[in-house]
């Protein structure tokens, strides 16, 4: 499980265009958030909230990446449908999701299953995770992450 002061794992995923992105090679500061499924209400609102603040994250040179297990083509359609201004990443193999601790046991109506824990990682200039949010509630979350990114300096 990736936690504060850890580096991002050396895992390669695909962006919405199908281009390989190695997490360990990304330079901070950056935001990496995990969401369960593209084009569902909570995930859409979260992506729209980060998009609404994209210019403020850009002013900090702090790109925002959203990751799910959706295929790149679905992510491209999702981004186009809502005019999203975050980079969406596909972790179909679940390598990054599992290594970072975002693949967890969940339960609904008494039934257990595995799924993505809505979580966010703020990575500093040194490539180390500076802050982790787990079991994220979407409302006001993007603004909270922006405030933490501004505090990194």
């Amino acid at each position: 499980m990736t936690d504060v002061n850890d580096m991002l794992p050396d895992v390669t995923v695909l962006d919405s265009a199908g281009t390989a992105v190695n997490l360990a090679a990304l330079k901070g500061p950056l935001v990496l958030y995990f969401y369960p499924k593209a084009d569902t209400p909570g995930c859409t609102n979260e992506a729209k909230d980060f998009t609404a603040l994209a210019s403020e994250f850009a002013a900090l040179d702090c790109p925002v990446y959203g990751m799910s297990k959706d295929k790149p083509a679905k992510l491209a359609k999702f981004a186009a449908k809502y005019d999203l201004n975050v980079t969406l990443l596909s972790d179909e193999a679940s390598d990054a999701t599992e290594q970072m601790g975002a693949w967890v046991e969940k339960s609904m109506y008494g039934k257990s299953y595995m799924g993505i824990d809505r979580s966010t990682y703020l990575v500093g200039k040194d490539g180390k995770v500076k802050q982790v949010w787990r079991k994220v509630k979407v409302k006001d979350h993007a603004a909270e992450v922006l405030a933490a990114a501004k505090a990194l300096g």
Side-chain angles (χ1 to χ4, degrees):
M1 177 182 293
T2 302
D3 211 342
V4 173
N5 291 321
D6 290 342
M7 304 294 280
L8 291 179
D10 187 9
V11 175
T12 299
V13 296
L14 300 176
D15 67 14
S16 60
T19 303
V21 176
N22 183 282
L23 296 184
L26 295 175
K27 301 297 180 206
L30 65 90
V31 173
L32 175 61
Y33 74 92
F34 287 83
Y35 62 96
K37 190 170 181 151
D39 212 3
T40 57
C43 299
T44 299
N45 287 336
E46 186 173 26
K48 288 166 77 175
D49 289 350
F50 275 113
T51 293
L53 298 174
S55 63
E56 293 185 61
F57 281 103
L60 301 172
D61 288 324
C62 183
V64 177
Y65 299 88
M67 188 177 308
S68 70
K69 290 176 57 70
D70 295 307
K71 295 178 185 288
K74 183 172 183 179
L75 297 178
K77 185 176 178 183
F78 177 47
K81 181 176 180 180
Y82 296 102
D83 197 26
L84 300 177
N85 194 12
V86 297
T87 301
L88 298 178
L89 302 173
S90 170
D91 185 27
E92 284 186 85
S94 202
D95 293 336
T97 307
E98 288 182 30
Q99 286 187 43
M100 294 194 69
W103 189 246
V104 299
E105 185 173 347
K106 299 172 130 186
S107 65
M108 185 182 297
Y109 306 118
K111 184 177 179 180
S112 293
Y113 64 97
M114 296 302 290
I116 291 180
D117 174 36
R118 191 179 304 277
S119 51
T120 303
Y121 301 80
L122 176 61
V123 177
K125 290 179 183 174
D126 60 0
K128 292 183 179 179
V129 174
K130 300 300 180 187
Q131 194 162 345
V132 178
W133 293 263
R134 300 198 189 280
K135 298 187 184 329
V136 166
K137 302 294 182 215
V138 172
K139 184 172 174 35
D140 300 322
H141 178 63
E144 181 181 353
V145 175
L146 177 62
K150 285 179 178 178
L152 283 181

